[in-house]
Amino acid sequence: MVAAGTDRGQEVLAHLAAITGLPMAANCASAERAAAGEWRLVRHRWAGSLLEDALLRAPVAVLTVAVDAVAAAPAAESAATRVCPYEPVLSEADLAVLATASAGPGGGDSLATARVVVGGGRGVGGPEGFGALEELAGLLGGVVGVSRVVTSEGWRPHQQQVGQTGTRISPELYVACGISGAIQHMAGCQSARHIVAINTDPEAPIISHADYAVIGDLNQVIPALIAAIRARMPA
Ligand SMILES: Cc1cc2nc3c(=O)[nH]c(=O)nc-3n(C[C@H](O)[C@H](O)[C@H](O)COP(=O)(O)OP(=O)(O)OC[C@H]3O[C@@H](n4cnc5c(N)ncnc54)[C@H](O)[C@@H]3O)c2cc1C
């Protein structure tokens, strides 16, 4: 039983494993049957910075696939997926829901699956500084992510935190603004295909991880970027 290693995939299979009493292995990069009831796995640990060889003993393997481990490919026609419709029988009690948090206005892409993430750190200076990042993210078709300092300060909600204790992202483009690039932050964004850093400090660790870096004040660079993008947009 295999699901994508997204927040949703992990949650659904963890529930399935708990209900059935089967073990579950999260974030697998590969899996092969070693013997009857035995599976040889390679799993991403520590936000993908470590690969673990593991042996899973279970009559049915319940696995999620690390999000960046397998390239997306259209299903081969010969291996057409068989769809088995399932109609659960639900009672009124099954439908009772307690809402404990709101996703906030806008909806759209989640941080984990967004193709573009505009990240903001302490350098943004305060909650009011995120308006420009939201605008840039909107123009690029992306979402805003933040460092832990930002959530600890209460500037933005924890759901937007990128990193070891936040969300792991793997966008096409990560624009890190006023973020130093601490190891715990990089653990969450090292799968980004391209990293662009905007930072006043040329020695900030994020610069050595970035494909492109703009050494400058984000309060000048981001408005200039927004203006340049708007100038290229059709009227
Ligand atoms: C167990 C543990 C787990 C952690 N988990 C996470 C996690 O999941 N995610 C996470 O992010 N952190 C995590 N941290 C915290 C991490 O170690 C760093 O403290 C944090 O990432 C730093 O956030 P920052 O880059 O926003 O701030 P800072 O390190 O203070 O960096 C701010 C940066 O902004 C730049 N800057 C300042 N002003 C401007 C300006 N006007 N324009 C442009 N640049 C500017 C500065 O040069 C600096 O590089 C964790 C720490 C621990 C111990």
Side-chain angles (χ1 to χ4, degrees):
M1 176 71 71
V2 179
T6 57
D7 290 351
R8 182 78 178 136
Q10 314 280 26
E11 186 185 351
V12 169
L13 285 206
H15 275 85
L16 175 78
I19 292 165
T20 57
L22 289 166
M24 173 203 165
N27 298 322
C28 296
S30 70
E32 61 184 52
R33 193 194 292 269
E38 274 193 6
W39 308 80
R40 194 171 293 116
L41 311 175
V42 176
R43 298 205 306 135
H44 284 195
R45 302 298 303 268
W46 290 20
S49 52
L50 192 79
L51 291 178
E52 175 194 79
D53 293 318
L55 198 63
L56 177 71
R57 290 199 179 89
V60 177
V62 179
L63 314 172
T64 61
V65 182
V67 282
D68 49 348
V70 182
E77 269 181 34
S78 57
T81 309
R82 194 163 63 90
V83 177
C84 305
Y86 171 66
E87 295 284 343
V89 181
L90 299 173
S91 71
E92 279 299 310
D94 292 322
L95 300 174
V97 169
L98 174 65
T100 56
S102 158
D109 273 350
S110 85
L111 190 54
T113 56
R115 287 170 58 79
V116 177
V117 175
V118 177
R122 195 199 302 271
V124 174
E128 62 292 340
F130 281 87
L133 274 75
E134 289 283 3
E135 189 178 353
L136 179 60
L139 288 170
L140 296 174
V143 300
V144 166
V146 302
S147 72
R148 185 158 106 167
V149 166
V150 169
T151 58
S152 302
E153 293 289 335
W155 298 350
R156 303 291 287 196
H158 178 74
Q159 296 96 290
Q160 293 188 339
Q161 183 178 313
V162 171
Q164 182 184 323
T165 46
T167 299
R168 285 173 55 202
I169 60 171
S170 44
E172 293 288 321
L173 173 65
Y174 182 44
V175 187
C177 312
I179 292 177
S180 60
I183 189 165
Q184 297 89 354
H185 186 82
M186 297 314 300
C189 65
Q190 63 194 4
S191 300
R193 189 171 289 263
H194 301 288
I195 297 181
V196 175
I198 301 172
N199 202 300
T200 44
D201 179 5
E203 304 293 327
I206 188 99
I207 307 296
S208 62
H209 296 284
D211 298 283
Y212 300 93
V214 182
I215 307 303
D217 184 341
L218 63 87
N219 297 303
Q220 294 170 359
V221 177
I222 295 178
L225 254 177
I226 290 171
I229 294 169
R230 287 203 184 284
R232 282 167 179 255
M233 286 168 70

